[in-house]
Amino acid sequence: MINLYTDSSPNGFKVTIALEELALPYRLHHVRIDAGEHRQPAFLALNPHGRIPVIVDTETGITLFESAAILLYLAEKSGRLLPLQPAARWEAIKWLQFHASSVGPIIGQRVHFELFATDRNPTAIERFQSLTNSVFSVLDSHLARHIYLAGEDYSIADIAHFGWTHIARIINFDFSRYPHLSAWHERVAQRPAVRKGITLPTPATGA
């Protein structure tokens, strides 16, 4: 049994989507960030950085945090959502890492400076808007030639990126001028497991 500790956030949705796609049995524990539950000793024992998501696999005794690591683990455990053919497999891992190192952090910083920072910093806002458009452009160019990020097969790379494009839509970070990225987003959004995953533990109403 996998115990998932999460809240309604882009990084959390990556794991709920993956678990629903893979039909792995799991128990959901809602860590309410707004209530400070991610700073409680019991949760910090699982992730000393105090961030969701976290999984604890009772079958293997493995505890993991960081959504990219969790996605890789779930794909390895199930034998799905990560291509077996080496070139396609590394393509999926490459785009998963692109998300983890660039897309997620960039959009996350834009969310902070544009929506939540108490002191408006026009230079920071402009910088992260520009960086967001740059990564959207990279994805759009790649998806002009491929159905999914790893090629023909839907993978954990798609799940990782969708977590943040889903939130981008909710908070009006518009990417409609990138037609291939937009078409990919709509294609992924129609998957039943994705539609369920973005409601767990509750649907997002903001960033």
Side-chain angles (χ1 to χ4, degrees):
M1 173 67 71
I2 292 173
N3 287 285
L4 168 63
Y5 300 82
T6 192
D7 201 354
S8 299
S9 79
N11 292 327
F13 290 144
K14 298 173 195 175
V15 181
T16 51
I17 289 170
L19 286 166
E20 291 296 325
E21 290 279 10
L22 296 168
L24 291 171
Y26 70 98
R27 182 178 296 111
L28 183 65
H29 304 268
H30 190 176
V31 180
R32 293 168 175 81
I33 292 175
D34 288 346
E37 293 178 0
H38 61 308
R39 294 299 180 190
Q40 295 302 310
F43 185 74
L44 291 173
L46 300 174
N47 182 0
H49 197 204
R51 305 223 175 182
I52 60 93
V54 176
I55 64 166
V56 178
D57 189 339
T58 59
E59 292 180 2
T60 62
I62 291 174
T63 298
L64 286 175
F65 52 84
E66 293 296 334
S67 58
I70 294 171
L71 290 175
L72 281 167
Y73 178 80
L74 296 176
E76 291 283 356
K77 182 180 179 72
S78 65
R80 295 175 54 208
L81 294 180
L82 189 59
L84 295 176
Q85 196 273 335
R89 182 183 184 86
W90 283 105
E91 194 72 8
I93 293 172
K94 177 178 72 179
W95 288 102
L96 175 66
Q97 292 302 112
F98 177 66
H99 175 82
S101 63
S102 296
V103 179
I106 286 169
I107 300 178
Q109 289 299 308
R110 179 179 171 185
V111 167
H112 170 75
F113 285 108
E114 195 167 326
L115 301 181
F116 292 129
T118 54
D119 296 324
R120 301 286 289 177
N121 185 326
T123 301
I125 291 171
E126 183 178 351
R127 170 175 170 76
F128 284 105
Q129 286 177 341
S130 176
L131 288 171
T132 299
N133 287 330
S134 177
V135 295
F136 283 164
S137 179
V138 169
L139 291 168
D140 190 67
S141 295
H142 181 69
L143 290 164
R145 306 184 305 276
H146 305 281
I147 297 174
Y148 296 111
L149 287 165
E152 298 299 312
D153 296 323
Y154 174 74
S155 73
I156 54 175
D158 300 288
I159 293 173
H161 285 272
F162 184 86
W164 273 104
T165 57
H166 172 65
I167 293 299
R169 283 279 179 89
I170 289 174
I171 60 178
N172 296 316
F173 285 3
D174 182 38
F175 54 89
S176 60
R177 63 174 155 150
Y178 303 102
H180 308 293
L181 177 61
S182 297
W184 164 89
H185 176 88
E186 295 302 330
R187 191 157 55 245
V188 175
Q190 293 306 309
R191 296 178 68 89
V194 173
R195 295 171 70 177
K196 183 174 180 182
I198 59 175
T199 69
L200 301 170
T202 58
T205 57

